[in-house]
Amino acid sequence: MSDAYHVPLKYRISRPIVTAGFRLLFRTMARVKISGKQNIPRSGPYVVAMNHVSIFDPPFAGSFWPEQLEILGASDVFEKPGQGLVLKAYGVIPVHRGEYDRALFARIISVIKAGYPLLIAPEGARSHVTAMRRAMPGIAYIVEQTKVPVVPVGIVGTTEDFWQRARRRERPSIEMNIGGPITLPEITAKGKDKHEQRQANADLVMRHLAGLLPEDYRGV
């Protein structure tokens, strides 16, 4: 493992506490179903690509994943009292949405090259509805630079009303369906064609994701 990046000690201490707390919360308030754990690579880094309906998706995926994930999160959420504390305690990597951030991509690439798996939502933000939006090309750029596989993860049931239903003791069902690793085609084009190839690879990831979701979650 490279010396370029290591998870800081404070996060190595806090992350097991945060994830255990969320596992207990989800198990208590919902009916949890996890399928496809056998598809998770046993060694080496990879990118976990999930659909993103609501704020519950990252903690759900992260808390039930068998190893600690590096996670990307919107920078504006860090300013919210409750959510921000959780993100900071876990050590979520802040992302300024709608901006090209060279330093962020350099950090992401160093994390992966150091051997850590990364959780990302290719859509770039919550959809707020079940149907997926078209992916941003960022995931394809990350894979292009790191040559790692992508593990698609379809999450079902974490809709905007999940918390209200859970508080009413309905115990709604939530599912995480883990697909087999994908190796994206190599990017060989230049200029504008390179951008189109990256978008095609991002679209390919979303097609694999769609296969793990009910029809009304597939969207674009």
Side-chain angles (χ1 to χ4, degrees):
M1 186 175 290
S2 168
D3 292 331
Y5 174 83
H6 289 288
V7 178
L9 176 61
K10 62 180 180 180
Y11 298 142
R12 296 203 300 269
I13 295 170
S14 62
R15 284 181 180 179
I17 298 170
V18 172
T19 53
F22 272 110
R23 276 197 306 274
L24 177 61
L25 184 65
F26 283 120
R27 290 279 190 199
T28 301
M29 305 192 76
R31 288 169 289 162
V32 176
K33 180 181 177 182
I34 311 292
S35 63
K37 278 191 174 183
Q38 72 277 6
N39 292 320
I40 299 173
R42 294 180 178 272
S43 62
Y46 50 90
V47 172
V48 180
M50 68 171 187
N51 60 309
H52 196 8
V53 175
S54 74
I55 61 171
F56 305 109
D57 302 316
F60 178 44
S63 60
F64 285 95
W65 206 259
E67 62 180 319
Q68 290 181 12
L69 296 168
E70 298 297 313
I71 300 175
L72 303 183
S75 59
D76 58 314
V77 181
F78 282 73
E79 305 306 318
K80 298 181 179 180
Q83 297 174 45
L85 284 175
V86 173
L87 269 60
K88 292 171 185 175
Y90 187 89
V92 170
I93 300 170
V95 176
H96 296 276
R97 288 185 294 208
E99 299 179 16
Y100 174 74
D101 189 336
R102 186 183 297 273
L104 171 66
F105 278 109
R107 181 178 179 186
I108 290 170
I109 290 164
S110 71
V111 163
I112 295 172
K113 287 187 173 181
Y116 297 98
L118 176 81
L119 175 66
I120 185 172
E123 296 162 274
R126 286 174 281 165
S127 62
H128 297 283
V129 294
T130 54
M132 291 191 296
R133 298 184 295 191
R134 194 178 192 188
M136 305 291 286
I139 186 170
Y141 175 77
I142 292 167
V143 172
E144 178 188 349
Q145 298 299 312
T146 58
K147 313 300 183 188
V148 296
V150 177
V151 178
V153 171
I155 296 177
V156 180
T158 54
T159 49
E160 295 282 323
D161 64 345
F162 168 77
W163 184 247
Q164 287 75 24
R165 295 174 62 203
R167 289 180 64 184
R168 293 197 297 265
R169 300 184 180 180
E170 294 180 19
R171 297 200 75 226
S173 296
I174 52 174
E175 302 177 19
M176 178 164 65
N177 303 314
I178 305 167
I182 310 163
T183 300
L184 296 183
E186 183 179 357
I187 302 292
T188 57
K190 305 290 184 182
K192 182 182 177 182
D193 291 338
K194 176 179 282 191
H195 177 82
E196 291 178 355
Q197 280 194 356
R198 286 174 180 161
Q199 185 62 59
N201 276 355
D203 293 341
L204 177 61
V205 171
M206 299 306 278
R207 287 200 293 274
H208 280 269
L209 257 175
L212 301 169
L213 295 167
E215 187 171 348
D216 60 328
Y217 272 72
R218 293 173 185 172
V220 173

